[in-house]
Amino acid sequence: MFPTTRMRRLRTSKFRSLVSETALDVKDLICPVFVDETITEPVEIKSMPGYFRQPLSMVADEAACILELGIPAVILFGIPEKKDETGSHAYGDNDIIQKAIRAIKSKVGEELVVMTDLCLCEYTSHGHCGIVSKKHEILNDPTLEILGKTAVSHARAGADIVAPSGMMDGMVGAIRSALDENDFKDVPIMSYAAKYCSAFYGPFREAAGSGFAFGDRASYQMDPANSDEALREVELDIEEGADIIMVKPALPYLDIIYRVKKKFKMPTAAYHVSGEYSMIKAAAQNGWLDERKVVYESLLSIKRAGADMILTYFAKDIAREMKNE
Ligand code: PBG
């Protein structure tokens, strides 16, 4: 008790690093990369100041720059020239994402982990993450076959990890079987296991051109009110063969990250999403927040909650700062 105990003794700068419990490391970061088949120069995403879509011709240089900064992994999102009802440009060997994987792999080799977001919403004309019926229902089971095919095409192009994000029931199992049947049994799956139906994805839909023509994603993404359900989602994905599980978004869902990590002790990723990026950027541009400090505190908090790795649009900024320190 006070005055014997004085918590402030160890808070002096001399001791602080010795007693700190969590550290942010550039090795924990995964950098999202948007590759757009319709452009020839990088295009800034309006609602994500400082973030760009890359043309195919420049995506390998971008990946090399990310690796050079010490970031160990990228996650790729493809924006195809042509979209259709069933997202058929998600899985062709000469479609945008497959070409981007090959371009990156031939430039940077094996050192960089290339993950691919595995979803149909960027490839479908209606913008939903699955096949849609005439009555506008999102059809679960017919979607699984396409996801399996897409996963195999990513692996064939050289993807190191596939990351299904469409929240279809049974997607992890279907993708695992498809990969195994095609001799890709060593390609891990990072499942967007507890993915909430979140308004924080707003800017991403501009970034990836994946806004939807009707309805919303509430019939497949999770209700923000629920947390026990997240544990069930994660448990099912682990049973189906997920190697890494993800919680998304990150900051508003730290309780979910904490519970998931505590219960399953799996490699756990958190996605610090587009809206989380845009909020900080907007406030910083107005001079209302210190961007550098707020970003560092946010990512540290995500790690403290239990994440082993963080997908964030601030990856390059943080890596650059750590390099200069
Ligand atoms: C695709 C997908 C989305 C995000 C990642 N993969 C959008 C969505 O579900 O609507 C969001 C990422 C972000 O907001 O940064 N299904």
Side-chain angles (χ1 to χ4, degrees), residues 48 77 117 119 121-122 129 165-166 192 195 200-202 204-205 210 212 217 221 248 271-275 313:
M48 298 178 73
F77 296 91
D117 183 84
C119 193
C121 63
E122 292 115 73
C129 305
S165 66
Y192 288 62
K195 176 173 178 180
F200 286 98
Y201 308 150
F204 173 93
R205 293 182 185 152
S210 67
F212 30 81
R217 301 213 200 289
Q221 299 180 346
K248 179 185 174 199
Y271 201 142
H272 187 238
V273 302
S274 57
Y313 303 97

Side-chain angles (χ1 to χ4, degrees), residues 48-61:
M48 298 178 73
Y51 224 79
F52 294 79
R53 300 183 186 200
Q54 303 293 334
L56 178 62
S57 60
M58 292 171 77
V59 76
D61 287 340

Side-chain angles (χ1 to χ4, degrees), residues 265-314:
K265 300 182 171 49
M266 288 283 289
T268 303
Y271 201 142
H272 187 238
V273 302
S274 57
E276 301 181 78
Y277 173 90
S278 302
M279 286 196 301
I280 294 175
K281 281 287 179 188
Q285 282 182 346
N286 275 297
W288 296 339
L289 283 177
D290 179 327
E291 176 173 332
R292 200 181 66 82
K293 287 186 175 156
V294 169
V295 170
Y296 193 81
E297 184 178 334
S298 301
L299 300 184
L300 191 65
S301 299
I302 295 166
K303 280 209 75 183
R304 195 191 60 238
D308 300 299
M309 58 199 109
I310 306 172
L311 297 85
T312 177
Y313 303 97
F314 288 110

Side-chain angles (χ1 to χ4, degrees), residues 56-221:
L56 178 62
S57 60
M58 292 171 77
V59 76
D61 287 340
E62 174 69 6
C65 156
I66 290 166
L67 180 63
E68 173 70 27
L69 286 167
I71 298 166
V74 292
I75 182 159
L76 300 181
F77 296 91
I79 299 121
E81 195 185 334
K82 290 198 201 87
K83 304 185 186 225
D84 58 31
E85 284 281 300
T86 57
S88 62
H89 290 287
Y91 51 78
D93 283 332
N94 276 317
D95 282 326
I96 181 64
I97 204 81
Q98 292 76 5
K99 285 196 275 199
I101 300 166
R102 289 197 297 268
I104 292 171
K105 280 290 168 188
S106 65
K107 169 128 190 157
V108 302
E110 282 308 303
E111 232 180 305
L112 182 73
V113 174
V114 175
M115 305 181 169
T116 52
D117 183 84
L118 177 44
C119 193
L120 299 183
C121 63
E122 292 115 73
Y123 303 91
T124 50
S125 44
H126 44 71
H128 278 288
C129 305
I131 302 296
V132 171
S133 75
K134 287 209 177 59
K135 287 187 286 178
H136 285 182
E137 297 154 324
I138 317 300
L139 302 174
N140 195 87
D141 301 8
T143 303
L144 298 182
E145 195 194 322
I146 301 182
L147 292 177
K149 229 189 322 192
T150 307
V152 171
S153 78
H154 290 186
R156 199 185 295 126
D160 296 298
I161 296 185
V162 295
S165 66
M167 288 295 281
M168 294 295 125
D169 288 324
M171 69 178 183
V172 173
I175 290 165
R176 185 72 272 158
S177 313
L179 288 172
D180 289 356
E181 280 161 23
N182 287 276
D183 245 6
F184 294 115
K185 59 181 186 319
D186 291 329
V187 172
I189 298 174
M190 175 169 83
S191 175
Y192 288 62
K195 176 173 178 180
Y196 284 87
C197 186
S198 171
F200 286 98
Y201 308 150
F204 173 93
R205 293 182 185 152
E206 182 204 331
S210 67
F212 30 81
F214 53 84
D216 56 28
R217 301 213 200 289
S219 78
Y220 41 107
Q221 299 180 346

